[in-house]
Amino acid sequence: METPRRFAREWCAQRLPRAQTVVWKVWLCEFWLLLLGSGLNAHFLPHEEDVTFINEYVNLHNELRGSVIPRGANLRFMTWDVALSRTARAWGKKCVFERNIHLEELKMAHPRFNGIGENMWVGPENEFTASIAIRSWFAQRKNYNFEKNSCSDNCSNYLQLVWDKSYKVGCAVTPCSRIGRIKHAALFICNYAPGGALSRSPYQRGLMCSRCSSYDRCTDFLCSNADRDQAIYYRFWYPRWEVPRPIVCDPLCILILFLRMLCFSLSATIVLIVQSHFPNILLEEEMVFIPEVTGPAKEEEEVEKEEEEE
């Protein structure tokens, strides 16, 4: 009767580690699926200054602008702008699918441009790509009649996308726990400078690049200019209304810190020099106040002194 028990123990000893391994793997799989299904996968969304992300949406903007129908004669080539992307990020952090109220305010959305344009897209976070969002804006061209300059349905995103005077773009995508009925949403915003007024046709029809400035050259069927397209990195500029606002020390801040450190050093040096020449300057002398005696009290003291002398 002992042999079956030994066999059972040996069988359990061999199978138990395998069972524990299987259970551990199942737990890991469940934990990974939980992470994928939760808002903790926000790090999969690209940062607004990620080079690959920037190249993707800038190149796609230029590709679509160069393929408009009817053909455009004066559409400008687009390049990235860091200030516009910071504005897009700052507004995206609010997680509201509403137009940025600061776009028309002086230096509130950009340090140089006023009247910033904006396009927005919202959808499930795990379905986001810049291509999907931007192409959805371009698809609104079916709602736009170029001859009548009118829209049968919403086409504002398309008009801004192909606005001829715009040549700077900056985008950002923000993870949001919920926007409307969408849980774990991604809010993708692109800002444009100069923004479109949307009160006229978005561009002039004609042979591509035929109406570019004399200082421009034709790049990918668009008007480009080396000076205009130069990248400017606004190192110390961030939207004032961004919450929380990044801590940035601009040149004035650095100057103030330097002056404060200099004043502190000079003060400490002066104190050391004075102490070396006047070592007792900080010592307090004990002062005893003896009131002056007058009148009858003074006469009594004199009498007492005379008696003591006798």
Side-chain angles (χ1 to χ4, degrees):
M1 298 297 293
E2 295 294 331
T3 304
R5 292 181 182 177
R6 290 177 183 174
F7 176 77
R9 292 195 194 100
E10 292 175 359
W11 185 87
C12 291
Q14 293 175 358
R15 294 295 187 271
L16 187 58
R18 296 181 182 178
Q20 290 177 342
T21 303
V22 172
V23 172
W24 178 247
K25 289 181 178 180
V26 171
W27 285 350
L28 286 177
C29 290
E30 290 179 351
F31 181 69
W32 178 247
L33 291 174
L34 180 63
L35 288 179
L36 290 177
S38 67
L40 296 178
N41 60 334
H43 62 277
F44 291 117
L45 294 178
H47 189 268
E48 69 270 9
E49 295 189 23
D50 180 81
V51 176
T52 303
F53 176 57
I54 292 171
N55 289 335
E56 179 185 4
Y57 69 73
V58 171
N59 292 339
L60 184 55
H61 271 83
N62 287 324
E63 176 187 337
L64 297 177
R65 287 167 67 86
S67 62
V68 293
I69 297 175
R71 296 300 184 185
N74 66 329
L75 276 85
R76 290 177 172 177
F77 186 82
M78 279 195 159
T79 53
W80 175 68
D81 187 274
V82 64
L84 293 175
S85 65
R86 289 173 183 168
T87 297
R89 178 203 60 203
W91 187 254
K93 286 159 64 174
K94 297 181 180 295
C95 288
V96 292
F97 193 63
E98 299 173 2
R99 179 175 171 80
N100 189 338
I101 61 175
H102 304 287
L103 297 180
E104 303 296 333
E105 300 176 12
L106 183 64
K107 294 187 177 181
M108 295 295 283
H110 197 280
R112 290 180 54 197
F113 296 102
N114 295 324
I116 305 300
E118 180 185 59
N119 279 345
M120 303 178 70
W121 176 93
V122 65
E125 183 179 329
N126 56 0
E127 296 180 7
F128 166 77
T129 65
S131 177
I132 289 175
I134 296 170
R135 290 185 186 279
S136 71
W137 300 334
F138 191 74
Q140 293 179 5
R141 66 178 177 176
K142 65 179 182 294
N143 302 327
Y144 178 67
N145 187 315
F146 191 89
E147 302 295 336
K148 299 180 180 179
N149 188 31
S150 61
C151 299
S152 59
D153 200 350
N154 180 33
C155 66
S156 59
N157 294 315
Y158 168 74
L159 295 179
Q160 176 57 80
L161 181 62
V162 298
W163 193 256
D164 53 2
K165 298 300 182 183
S166 299
Y167 62 91
K168 289 293 184 182
V169 61
C171 305
V173 58
T174 307
C176 300
S177 58
R178 187 184 188 96
I179 297 181
R181 297 182 179 180
I182 303 175
K183 294 183 178 180
H184 308 306
L187 180 59
F188 180 63
I189 301 175
C190 286
N191 290 132
Y192 304 86
L198 310 183
S199 58
R200 59 170 176 82
S201 298
Y203 58 87
Q204 297 179 20
R205 175 193 293 183
L207 184 64
M208 290 176 290
C209 295
S210 60
R211 297 189 181 180
C212 295
S213 168
S214 58
Y215 300 100
D216 294 349
R217 60 189 179 91
C218 192
T219 303
D220 297 335
F221 310 115
L222 301 170
C223 305
S224 64
N225 183 291
D227 295 331
R228 184 177 64 220
D229 298 336
Q230 184 178 5
I232 301 176
Y233 193 80
Y234 303 95
R235 183 178 178 184
F236 301 108
W237 186 89
Y238 289 86
R240 302 177 193 172
W241 41 268
E242 183 175 6
V243 179
R245 188 179 180 186
I247 300 175
V248 181
C249 193
D250 58 13
L252 179 59
C253 168
I254 295 174
L255 177 61
I256 293 174
L257 288 176
F258 174 76
L259 292 176
R260 292 181 67 176
M261 293 177 63
L262 181 62
C263 291
F264 176 79
S265 302
L266 290 175
S267 301
T269 303
I270 292 172
V271 169
L272 292 175
I273 293 174
V274 171
Q275 274 191 326
S276 63
H277 288 78
F278 306 96
N280 298 325
I281 192 171
L282 298 179
L283 297 178
E284 295 183 0
E285 295 183 1
E286 185 178 356
M287 300 179 65
V288 180
F289 176 73
I290 303 176
E292 184 179 356
V293 181
T294 59
K298 186 175 182 180
E299 294 178 355
E300 291 179 0
E301 287 185 1
E302 291 178 354
V303 171
E304 290 178 357
K305 287 181 179 180
E306 291 177 357
E307 292 178 353
E308 290 177 357
E309 290 177 356
E310 292 177 355

